[in-house]
Amino acid sequence: MLNIFTLANGRLVQEEIEALEELSKFQPIWVDLESPTLEEKRWIKQYYGLSIPEDAMDEDIEESARFYEEDNGELHIRSDFLIDDDEDPRSVRVAFILNQHNAELRSRGVLFSIHDEDVPVFRLLRMRARRAPGLIEDAKEVLLKLFDADAEYSADTLENIYDELEVAGKKVLEGNVSDELAGEVLAAIARQEDLNGRIRRNVMDTRRAVSFMMRSRMLNAEQFEEARQILRDIESLDNHTAFLFDKINFLMDATVGFININQNKTIKIFSVASVALLPPTLIASIYGMNFKLMPELDWAMGYPYALALMAASALVPMWYFRRRGWLK
């Protein structure tokens, strides 16, 4: 899908392009390509003179492969954006290309974004830019607002993680945690830990992208200050993710502790049963010896007497353990 965005009365207006000829009707500041076809890439090459690299969505993490400027003046930024999906939280790689200086090409002053699936941050920016006149003035502003919205989206996701951990914490700290409940809580905590880690990686990537924009001197004074504010927001998110990691570790240890307590209760019952059966075993072993001069062998009540003695020797320790509260 190929969407172009123009400015009209200070608002961002979206147009969906279905043919090459339609590109000449608009003067966009942002061209968004979601899962572009080869034909759509050919349109961009033919009209704007912009070649989309085959490795635009590459997963390289080296800074030199993700943030660089070509000899023709094209600025390339590859950044990850978070998708907070309940079933499958993930990050989506987005490639940005911005021609700032080459006036010979129609791509000058136009931000191009290439990604494989829709990104919530993009929808959020489009909605805001339609409703708020003057929010965006040029292509660089689009890029900054996307990173700003990404930091805000990460902050909202962190708040959701905290709410989920509050629910899990109440289940654990109420006590009487069964093994089934502990398993559910551990699964929920593991999901939130994974999402928190993705957020930390996402804001780290956003920090690198914004820092690159500041180093490249592409921003004016107002935009530079906005970039610094984004970095300050990201710094606060870093501290919050560290706090959540500590909370996750605490809940994880508490849940595992309750599992160990439940296991210890089971082992304790077996231990008490083993100790209570030791005296009957001793008595049975004594009367199992084949000595001729054992008085009870010729006694008519010898067998019932031995059974009663073994039963009493088992019940007395059980009574004592129960009185001491060791069977609870």
Side-chain angles (χ1 to χ4, degrees), residues 156-294:
D156 293 339
T157 307
L158 285 175
E159 292 179 1
N160 294 335
I161 292 176
Y162 187 83
D163 293 338
E164 293 294 330
L165 293 178
E166 282 290 307
V167 174
K170 289 181 179 178
K171 292 180 180 178
V172 172
L173 300 179
E174 284 178 354
N176 297 324
V177 179
S178 63
D179 291 343
E180 292 78 12
L181 179 60
E184 295 176 5
V185 171
L186 283 177
I189 294 175
R191 287 194 298 270
Q192 302 310 316
E193 192 276 340
D194 175 71
L195 183 56
N196 194 47
R198 290 181 182 276
I199 293 173
R200 190 159 199 172
R201 176 185 174 185
N202 184 70
V203 296
M204 179 184 68
D205 183 80
T206 303
R207 179 194 288 116
R208 294 171 65 190
V210 175
S211 298
F212 173 74
M213 293 177 65
M214 298 172 68
R215 293 195 306 270
S216 64
R217 300 182 180 179
M218 60 181 288
L219 306 175
N220 58 37
E222 184 177 350
Q223 292 169 343
F224 191 87
E225 182 58 34
E226 184 177 355
R228 291 180 61 185
Q229 181 59 46
I230 294 174
L231 293 181
R232 286 193 290 267
D233 293 341
I234 289 175
E235 185 68 26
S236 66
L237 292 181
D238 266 345
N239 297 333
H240 201 65
T241 56
F243 163 75
L244 286 179
F245 273 127
D246 291 339
K247 186 175 181 64
I248 287 171
N249 289 333
F250 166 74
L251 291 177
M252 189 79 71
D253 292 341
T255 306
V256 172
F258 278 111
I259 293 176
N260 292 334
I261 290 174
N262 292 338
Q263 292 177 344
N264 290 337
K265 288 180 180 178
T266 303
I267 295 174
K268 182 174 66 174
I269 292 175
F270 281 106
S271 300
V272 168
S274 300
V275 172
L277 292 177
L278 283 177
T281 303
L282 176 62
I283 295 173
S285 301
I286 292 174
Y287 285 107
M289 294 185 293
N290 297 319
F291 293 113
K292 290 184 178 181
L293 299 177
M294 293 183 69

